[in-house]
Amino acid sequence: MNEIKTSCASTDSKSTTWESIDWNKCETEVRKLQARIVKAQKEGKHGKVKSLQWILTHSYYAKVLAIRRVTSNKGKNTSGVDKVLWHSPNAKVNAIKELKRRGYTPQPLRRVNIKKSNGKLRPLGIPTMKDRAMQALYLMALDPVAETTADNHSYGFRKERCTGDAIHQCFINLSKESSPQWILEGDIKGCFDHISHEWLLNNIPMDRVMLQKWLKCGFVFNNELFPTEEGTPQGGIISPTLANITLDGLQTMLEEKFKRVDLYSPKRSYYPKVHLIRYADDFVITSRNKEMLEQEIMPMVKEFLQVRGLTLSEEKTKITHIDEGFDFLGFNIRKYKGVLLIKPSKAGQKKFLEKLRGIINDHKAIPQESLIRLLNPVITGWVNYYKHCVTAKTFQRMDFEIYRKLMQWSLRRHPAKGKHWVADKYFHNVRGRSWTFAVKHQENGAVTYHSVKRLSDTKVTRYAKLKCDANPYDTDWKAYFDKRETRQMLLSANGKSVIVRMWEKQKRRCVICGEPIRKSTPWSITERLVNGKTEKVLFHDDCRKWRMKSNKNGR
């Protein structure tokens, strides 16, 4: 059994096994340091920021959290050029000793190409497990600074922010009668692949030596080594934050250019219909007329990007009127007779139906219940993404298209049977609704149904937008984020306050893995014995499956 030797950093500790690590303590200590970094950044004490970042990146607590992140996310089974994965507890424990700055040299990235929606290929660089963990470690020190200095209306790849915030900001800026009418839809050409290394090294507030090593590590493609002269690799954990910092400042530049002082209240200022909403490298800029966008704003944006080695994509960048509408993040935003309506885009609907049809076509011979289990998570995810906009008619149409495809699937399985026989076998009357694709179960005289989720059953709700200046690393905002998380959990529990109280009693964590239970993490309720009494508890769905599998194997 290996004992971990820790550095002299004040947050260091010792542990002999992966299972014995106190994760709550690790998270608490790291959050304290991140809060101190935010405070120092707000006070302009840049020397202190660097000192705290050094302490954090040499902390035992931060190292184990970095390793846990790369061994529990979706890429945990994808290796780099060294073909090494950290699956066993011993491998994770030994990895803690390897996360050292001294003598560290990253290995080249493993380059793969993934297909984009327009048919083109996007290069993806896959670092090794060790390089991913080192990036996750240094990201913990960089992200608090990035959040403190970021543009207020930047919503992509940022903690506690999502597309819903960006879309709701579009509604705020465009829904009124006096709102701007013209929109510049901006898209940066190969943003991740063309960022200037010189600009990054001179402007990113982190360890410059480490950053340079990651930027210049090269990549391997078809067993051949290539150098990296520009850009930050897509696939790196720290890359989205680097791209965000690169584009931060665009909002400030526009505000300074178009800022006007209120004559009746000199302390107040306003911006004449020029607003920026950005999600990663996609952004929209509003204006009162087309000429301002073409003659003033567009040249400013191009100059801003040119300094950073970036250019606008001529193919995707265009100027449109609000009455014609525009697509942004999978939504269509348009005014109909003066009323702004936000709907799922036609491209988004087409992609959703193609995915469902693909699942059904690829599983023509599986049991009905298995097909339902494959379809429901996809339907639920799409519904949750769009349930805050105008979707009633869209959801009804999607339900009809799914029904047609499932009927085709059912008829194909029984070519010698009539339509009525097939309908009676696969479609049932569930809670007063006929023609529901469902499996009937009978147990102890009780009849239950497991059915395909209907999109139109989802209630459309108004989205609660995040306050634009909220910082999740700042202790001043802790009460706000706690209240927001409780509200989101209440919505996830369909308004059942008893579930929220159960969640609070468990300190908002899964009783198996100890990880936080959030709206975004699938969870369910089950029962367990405690001191001879049965009580209900909340589990992550994945933890529950793992526990059932372990019990089945006799572990």
Side-chain angles (χ1 to χ4, degrees):
M1 191 173 292
N2 298 322
E3 181 174 321
I4 301 170
K5 295 180 180 179
T6 56
S7 72
C8 60
S10 60
T11 53
D12 279 353
S13 180
K14 292 185 178 181
S15 179
T16 55
T17 63
W18 186 255
E19 292 82 1
S20 64
I21 294 174
D22 187 344
W23 295 110
N24 290 338
K25 185 176 182 181
C26 292
E27 292 174 358
T28 300
E29 294 299 329
V30 169
R31 279 200 300 267
K32 285 180 182 177
L33 275 174
Q34 290 175 326
R36 291 176 65 190
I37 291 173
V38 170
K39 184 179 179 183
Q41 180 67 34
K42 288 167 67 176
E43 294 173 353
K45 299 177 180 178
H46 303 296
K48 188 174 182 180
V49 170
K50 290 183 179 179
S51 298
L52 291 169
Q53 286 181 323
W54 189 95
I55 293 173
L56 182 55
T57 54
H58 290 72
S59 162
Y60 164 82
Y61 297 128
K63 289 177 181 180
V64 295
L65 289 177
I67 292 171
R68 184 179 68 170
R69 174 173 178 175
V70 300
T71 55
S72 60
N73 59 16
K74 291 182 179 180
K76 64 183 178 181
N77 295 320
T78 305
S79 63
V81 292
D82 60 355
K83 306 297 181 183
V84 173
L85 293 174
W86 295 339
H87 284 320
S88 68
N90 283 339
K92 298 173 186 178
V93 167
N94 292 330
I96 300 174
K97 297 182 293 184
E98 298 179 18
L99 300 189
K100 294 181 180 179
R101 182 182 185 276
R102 181 178 296 178
Y104 169 71
T105 302
Q107 296 189 55
L109 306 168
R110 180 164 69 90
R111 172 67 66 87
V112 296
N113 291 320
I114 57 176
K115 199 170 184 179
K116 298 167 65 174
S117 57
N118 58 6
K120 296 181 179 179
L121 296 177
R122 171 183 289 144
L124 189 68
I126 303 174
T128 63
M129 294 296 288
K130 180 180 177 180
D131 294 335
R132 271 178 262 174
M134 287 295 285
Q135 289 189 20
L137 177 62
Y138 278 81
L139 179 60
M140 290 182 203
L142 174 63
D143 208 32
V145 180
E147 282 290 334
T148 307
T149 59
D151 288 344
N152 285 345
H153 298 305
S154 164
Y155 299 101
F157 302 121
R158 291 181 63 186
K159 193 175 180 181
E160 303 294 343
R161 299 190 178 214
C162 64
T163 53
D165 297 300
I167 295 301
H168 194 80
Q169 186 62 39
C170 290
F171 181 83
I172 292 172
N173 290 337
L174 297 168
S175 59
K176 298 177 183 177
E177 187 177 345
S178 59
S179 295
Q181 301 294 307
W182 290 93
I183 298 96
L184 168 66
E185 303 172 60
D187 184 87
I188 300 170
K189 186 176 181 179
C191 179
F192 284 85
D193 300 326
H194 300 298
I195 301 175
S196 167
H197 283 183
E198 183 181 357
W199 190 93
L200 288 172
L201 292 170
N202 291 332
N203 294 275
I204 300 297
M206 67 169 289
D207 190 323
R208 184 170 178 174
V209 174
M210 295 295 292
L211 179 59
Q212 186 170 21
K213 287 181 178 181
W214 288 325
L215 294 177
K216 302 296 183 181
C217 67
F219 65 91
V220 174
F221 185 66
N222 291 336
N223 296 321
E224 188 177 352
L225 179 64
F226 297 89
T228 47
E229 302 297 338
E230 61 180 1
T232 175
Q234 294 189 59
I237 288 178
I238 203 170
S239 296
T241 302
L242 296 179
N244 263 338
I245 297 175
T246 302
L247 298 176
D248 283 334
L250 183 58
Q251 178 182 326
T252 305
M253 180 188 71
L254 293 172
E255 288 178 350
E256 290 177 353
K257 169 67 177 178
F258 298 101
K259 185 176 181 179
R260 300 287 187 272
V261 177
D262 192 332
L263 297 176
Y264 299 100
S265 181
K267 292 184 179 180
R268 295 179 58 187
S269 58
Y270 64 97
Y271 313 101
K273 301 187 179 182
V274 177
H275 306 285
L276 168 75
I277 303 103
R278 180 169 68 82
Y279 190 93
D281 58 339
D282 294 329
F283 62 88
V284 295
I285 301 175
T286 65
S287 177
R288 58 189 170 189
N289 55 59
K290 187 176 182 180
E291 290 72 23
M292 180 182 286
L293 288 173
E294 290 178 336
Q295 300 172 13
E296 296 185 59
I297 296 177
M298 184 85 83
M300 290 175 63
V301 172
K302 288 182 178 179
E303 184 180 352
F304 176 88
L305 296 176
Q306 186 178 8
V307 175
R308 292 154 174 79
L310 301 172
T311 56
L312 287 174
S313 170
E314 295 183 3
E315 178 186 350
K316 297 181 181 180
T317 301
K318 52 187 177 180
I319 298 174
T320 54
H321 194 274
I322 191 62
D323 290 341
E324 298 175 8
F326 63 98
D327 289 347
F328 186 50
L329 303 177
F331 294 82
N332 179 261
I333 304 171
R334 180 180 174 185
K335 272 190 175 179
Y336 298 82
K337 297 180 179 180
V339 178
L340 186 76
L341 297 181
I342 301 177
K343 303 177 180 180
S345 66
K346 291 184 178 179
Q349 296 177 43
K350 182 180 178 181
K351 186 177 180 181
F352 171 64
L353 288 176
E354 285 178 350
K355 185 171 184 178
L356 289 180
R357 288 165 180 161
I359 293 173
I360 296 170
N361 289 334
D362 292 341
H363 299 87
K364 294 176 180 177
I366 65 172
Q368 182 185 11
E369 188 166 6
S370 299
L371 181 63
I372 292 172
R373 293 188 188 280
L374 289 173
L375 293 175
N376 277 349
V378 179
I379 296 172
T380 301
W382 200 81
V383 164
N384 288 339
Y385 188 76
Y386 287 107
K387 69 179 181 180
H388 301 297
C389 64
V390 182
T391 53
K393 290 184 178 179
T394 303
F395 283 176
Q396 290 172 7
R397 175 177 169 265
M398 295 296 109
D399 281 335
F400 176 69
E401 294 294 339
I402 294 169
Y403 159 75
R404 283 207 312 176
K405 189 64 185 177
L406 290 174
M407 177 60 79
Q408 181 187 17
W409 179 88
S410 304
L411 291 171
R412 181 191 172 279
R413 293 166 72 92
H414 305 280
K417 299 290 185 179
K419 292 183 179 179
H420 295 289
W421 186 94
V422 172
D424 290 340
K425 179 175 176 60
Y426 293 102
F427 294 85
H428 303 278
N429 190 309
V430 180
R431 293 190 296 273
R433 176 175 282 170
S434 57
W435 296 100
T436 301
F437 190 77
V439 176
K440 185 177 180 181
H441 295 288
Q442 286 186 340
E443 187 175 351
N444 299 328
V447 179
T448 58
Y449 293 93
H450 182 217
S451 60
V452 163
K453 182 179 177 67
R454 284 183 182 258
L455 287 80
S456 53
D457 287 343
T458 302
K459 184 179 179 181
V460 177
T461 57
R462 187 176 180 85
Y463 183 77
K465 183 184 174 296
L466 184 83
K467 290 185 178 180
C468 62
D469 53 346
N471 186 341
Y473 296 105
D474 193 340
T475 53
D476 294 341
W477 289 94
K478 185 178 184 305
Y480 170 77
F481 281 106
D482 285 345
K483 185 178 179 181
R484 180 178 174 81
E485 188 177 22
T486 301
R487 182 182 183 279
Q488 290 177 338
M489 190 62 184
L490 186 63
L491 291 174
S492 180
N494 296 322
K496 297 177 181 178
S497 57
V498 64
I499 295 178
V500 176
R501 289 196 295 270
M502 192 188 312
W503 174 64
E504 293 282 4
K505 185 180 178 181
Q506 295 178 201
K507 297 182 179 179
R508 305 186 176 193
R509 294 179 179 273
C510 172
V511 294
I512 293 180
C513 67
E515 291 290 305
I517 293 178
R518 295 191 175 93
K519 179 186 175 183
S520 57
T521 55
W523 54 269
S524 55
I525 301 174
T526 189
E527 294 182 347
R528 68 173 184 177
L529 284 173
V530 179
N531 297 327
K533 295 182 179 180
T534 307
E535 68 173 15
K536 292 184 178 181
V537 291
L538 298 181
F539 282 83
H540 285 132
D541 283 353
D542 290 340
C543 294
R544 189 178 184 185
K545 292 174 186 175
W546 172 83
R547 188 167 194 175
M548 291 171 66
K549 185 178 179 181
S550 299
N551 292 338
K552 186 177 180 180
N553 294 335
R555 296 178 185 174

